[in-house]
Amino acid sequence: MAESNQPVSVTGSAPVPWQPARTSRWGHFDRYWLLLIGALIIAAILFFAFPEKYRPIFRYVFGSFADGDGVFMTLRLTAVSFACILLVGMVMGVMRVSHVGILRGISSFYVEIVRGVPVLVWILWIYFGLPVLFRDGLGFKNMRIAGFPAAVVAFTFAFGAYMTEIFRAGIQSIAKGQMEASRSLGMNYLQATRYIILPQAVRVILPPVSNEFVTLLKDSSLVSVLGLEDVTRRGREWVGRTFASFDTYLVVALIYLILTVFFTRVSSAMERRLSVEKR
Amino acid sequence: MSDPIIQIKNVHKFFGKVHALDDVSLDVQQGEVLVIIGPSGSGKSTLLRTINHLETVNSGEIIVDGIQLTHKSTDINAVRAEVGMVFQQFNLFPHLTARQNITLAQRIVRKRSMEEAERTATELLERVGIPEKADSYPGQLSGGQQQRVAIARALAMDPKIMLFDEPTSALDPEMIKEVLEVMLDLANSGMTMLCVTHEMGFARAAARRMVFMDEGKIVEENTPEGLFSAPKSDRTKLFLSNILDR
């Protein structure tokens, strides 16, 4: 294929979407798998060799599916927020490269504002600040926002801006000729975006998108300030009871490590699948 | 004679300060095969791209199949569906198979059923000589095969006009012939064709008329024989001697 048709890298780590995966089947078994297995082994040793010391910590921090706390809170919060973030990122990303000035303006304004403020500040402001605005400013009595939706809104708002930039870069990496070919066949702008540009952009942006997912998974620990019973919050509560700071935060760190390395593996498996299908 | 299917009247186009099209006027009759030649930067590709509105013009009129392209109210997509275009870089959709490349626009623009679109795709892939490549992705095809799929993709819309923008310039020499054969076959079937190409053999065999452009102007037009044997302007002579002696 001619050089000008090759999508350009977004991340600098140069994904080459229309090439077969170069590694062999065994090549996929890399050091990250070792990291995951190592972390699991350490967790297992702590769990089984120290039934008095570590087992209760694991039980408490891990939480239960029925109560939806611990790991299940962390995963649910991450999954719900990420779905919203993808939607916002896609819509705003398409707007960011639009020919309509006002749409481009709204999207750029949003990205610039959000990127300049820390995620934790957005969380605090939306959870504690917005009810005040509604109560005192707009006259809604007894206005409260529950922790979970407040956290989802804050994460969507904050991470949506980064996702917008990822989508923008992905869309712009698709060669101009693809849009021209689509338009020359009589497709309108939205049809060309929907059927030609986005499907190709999605393959290009998969690596940075999964990075965002892992970052979100870790940053979800910020919601412990809202009292949501996620992994971090459960750890802090356990420390509050037992003062076993070192052991408890070791367990908390191990759980995050296992989750993030696991999801990194899942996403690179997806990348391989798409690039193979593609060639 | 009926009205020309393409009427270009006094068109001007600027890229910044560059006068890309300088008072260009050109009529093309239904069924005519017109070859446009000229040095790079002469405006020949730009002229082609104004006909399906991939480039807008600064002034002048373009009428395609009786429709004014330069009116704001014109449904450009409707016109584009009647005008097929083949690009130098093929511009196939790399995430779709050859067959899907050909069926997609039929379904979402022409609103054809899946069966009808697939039937058309099969027929056209046979016509361009690569029915066995229907399920291949563009990345698995040679340049010549990709360009033939691109021609089939454009033909699937049943266009009244086909535009070829240097269709063989990105191809290895041994693949040029297979693409030119498809184009010649199309010319013989009575398709209206505008080709920017430096394949003089094709021009001789297929074109009734050739246009030489330089610096955004049409310098002269004639039959291929007339242009090759008796070019009127010095600029044309120089250009032809450069490409014919190659």
Side-chain angles (χ1 to χ4, degrees):
Chain A
M1 179 174 292
E3 214 172 282
S4 64
N5 253 11
Q6 290 286 358
V8 195
S9 151
V10 194
T11 50
S13 65
V16 187
W18 329 122
Q19 301 286 311
R22 240 165 295 153
T23 43
S24 69
R25 182 158 281 280
W26 284 104
H28 304 155
F29 188 87
D30 54 22
R31 61 190 192 281
Y32 292 104
W33 281 116
L34 292 178
L35 184 60
L36 180 59
I37 290 167
L40 283 168
I41 288 174
I42 292 172
I45 290 173
L46 293 178
F47 187 84
F48 290 109
F50 302 93
E52 272 95 61
K53 199 172 178 190
Y54 278 103
R55 205 171 287 181
I57 305 180
F58 272 104
R59 287 238 165 86
Y60 190 79
V61 172
F62 195 81
S64 76
F65 183 73
D67 297 336
D69 52 13
V71 167
F72 301 98
M73 170 59 84
T74 294
L75 289 180
R76 188 162 68 100
L77 183 63
T78 306
V80 173
S81 303
F82 200 67
C84 300
I85 290 165
L86 282 177
L87 197 66
V88 167
M90 191 174 80
V91 172
M92 289 298 227
V94 169
M95 280 167 62
R96 191 109 204 245
V97 295
S98 161
H99 293 291
V100 186
I102 180 88
L103 295 180
R104 216 169 47 236
I106 292 171
S107 179
S108 307
F109 184 71
Y110 161 68
V111 169
E112 295 311 324
I113 292 281
V114 168
R115 284 203 299 194
V117 177
V119 183
L120 181 57
V121 175
W122 287 121
I123 293 174
L124 294 172
W125 199 21
I126 286 170
Y127 182 71
F128 296 107
L130 269 192
V132 175
L133 174 72
F134 277 99
R135 240 177 0 233
D136 302 349
L138 301 170
F140 288 88
K141 295 237 166 74
N142 302 322
M143 170 77 192
R144 285 196 68 238
I145 302 179
F148 191 84
V152 169
V153 169
F155 282 132
T156 302
F157 200 59
F159 277 75
Y162 298 97
M163 199 58 83
T164 300
E165 281 299 274
I166 291 173
F167 268 89
R168 178 195 58 75
I171 291 167
Q172 287 178 339
S173 77
I174 306 304
K176 194 169 152 241
Q178 291 289 306
M179 182 54 95
E180 289 189 346
S182 316
R183 303 305 299 273
S184 79
L185 289 166
M187 293 184 215
N188 62 37
Y189 185 78
L190 278 181
Q191 287 172 328
T193 302
R194 149 104 172 70
Y195 291 102
I196 304 302
I197 307 299
L198 278 182
Q200 294 182 57
V202 162
R203 290 168 164 89
V204 179
I205 68 180
L206 197 61
V209 165
S210 30
N211 270 342
E212 285 298 294
F213 182 83
V214 169
T215 306
L216 176 67
L217 183 69
K218 290 184 294 181
D219 283 4
S220 71
S221 64
L222 293 169
V223 300
S224 61
V225 300
L226 306 188
L228 286 178
E229 299 266 316
D230 75 327
V231 172
T232 307
R233 175 78 186 190
R234 299 283 281 183
R236 287 172 65 185
E237 286 174 358
W238 190 258
V239 172
R241 274 189 230 171
T242 64
F243 300 105
S245 307
F246 182 86
D247 305 318
T248 309
Y249 288 127
L250 173 65
V251 170
V252 169
L254 266 176
I255 289 177
Y256 278 113
L257 182 65
I258 289 167
L259 289 176
T260 53
V261 176
F262 173 73
F263 282 113
T264 309
R265 294 299 76 206
V266 170
S267 80
S268 66
M270 278 167 67
E271 281 161 37
R272 267 196 309 278
R273 233 193 89 81
L274 279 175
S275 66
V276 168
E277 203 175 80
K278 181 87 322 323
R279 66 131 288 151
Chain B
M1 192 181 267
S2 62
D3 269 357
I5 192 161
I6 302 173
Q7 294 167 268
I8 299 170
K9 293 178 190 163
N10 307 107
V11 160
H12 288 266
K13 166 78 182 173
F14 292 88
F15 289 114
K17 281 189 178 150
V18 180
H19 208 160
L21 294 177
D22 185 356
D23 199 26
V24 173
S25 297
L26 183 70
D27 286 348
V28 181
Q29 298 295 331
Q30 171 114 44
E32 191 177 7
V33 177
L34 178 75
V35 167
I36 306 169
I37 59 171
S40 65
S42 60
K44 53 197 192 313
S45 287
T46 308
L47 178 64
L48 210 60
R49 291 157 57 86
T50 58
I51 295 169
N52 67 353
H53 214 261
L54 285 180
E55 302 286 358
T56 54
V57 299
N58 296 97
S59 66
E61 262 187 297
I62 298 175
I63 302 166
V64 175
D65 196 23
I67 302 167
Q68 273 270 11
L69 280 194
T70 32
H71 278 184
K72 270 204 168 141
S73 57
T74 302
D75 180 2
I76 296 299
N77 293 322
V79 179
R80 279 179 176 148
E82 309 294 334
V83 182
M85 181 144 190
V86 176
F87 300 86
Q88 182 178 356
Q89 302 293 349
F90 328 135
N91 294 346
L92 288 179
F93 306 132
H95 61 302
L96 302 177
T97 63
R99 189 203 310 276
Q100 291 166 337
N101 263 278
I102 302 172
T103 53
L104 179 66
Q106 294 188 63
R107 287 169 50 220
I108 64 178
V109 178
R110 289 281 191 231
K111 311 288 181 205
R112 289 180 188 156
S113 69
M114 192 63 175
E115 295 81 65
E116 195 188 351
E118 297 228 321
R119 204 173 335 116
T120 312
T122 308
E123 281 169 20
L124 284 170
L125 282 171
E126 262 163 36
R127 184 166 171 192
V128 300
I130 39 173
E132 74 282 4
K133 299 293 183 188
D135 296 313
S136 302
Y137 285 94
Q140 297 168 313
L141 301 176
S142 73
Q145 291 168 337
Q146 288 191 52
Q147 193 60 296
R148 287 189 279 166
V149 173
I151 294 172
R153 178 178 69 178
L155 288 176
M157 305 300 285
D158 295 328
K160 294 179 176 153
I161 300 162
M162 285 285 284
L163 310 175
F164 292 85
D165 189 1
E166 306 207 28
T168 56
S169 300
L171 295 177
D172 292 338
E174 69 265 32
M175 292 168 183
I176 291 177
K177 191 161 160 271
E178 64 190 47
V179 171
L180 290 181
E181 275 167 4
V182 170
M183 289 170 62
L184 202 55
D185 170 59
L186 197 58
N188 290 335
S189 75
M191 176 65 76
T192 308
M193 290 165 66
L194 273 75
C195 313
V196 171
T197 180
H198 292 150
E199 294 300 329
M200 294 304 133
F202 171 77
R204 272 181 217 278
R208 262 191 294 173
R209 190 153 64 109
M210 278 181 80
V211 167
F212 175 70
M213 287 186 75
D214 190 30
E215 291 178 343
K217 295 192 184 72
I218 291 182
V219 177
E220 68 178 281
E221 51 176 283
N222 205 336
T223 60
E225 276 66 35
L227 200 72
F228 292 142
S229 57
K232 285 181 212 112
S233 90
D234 292 342
R235 189 69 192 84
T236 317
K237 269 178 213 159
L238 181 65
F239 180 79
L240 284 175
S241 72
N242 281 342
I243 59 167
L244 292 177
D245 293 348
R246 206 167 35 147

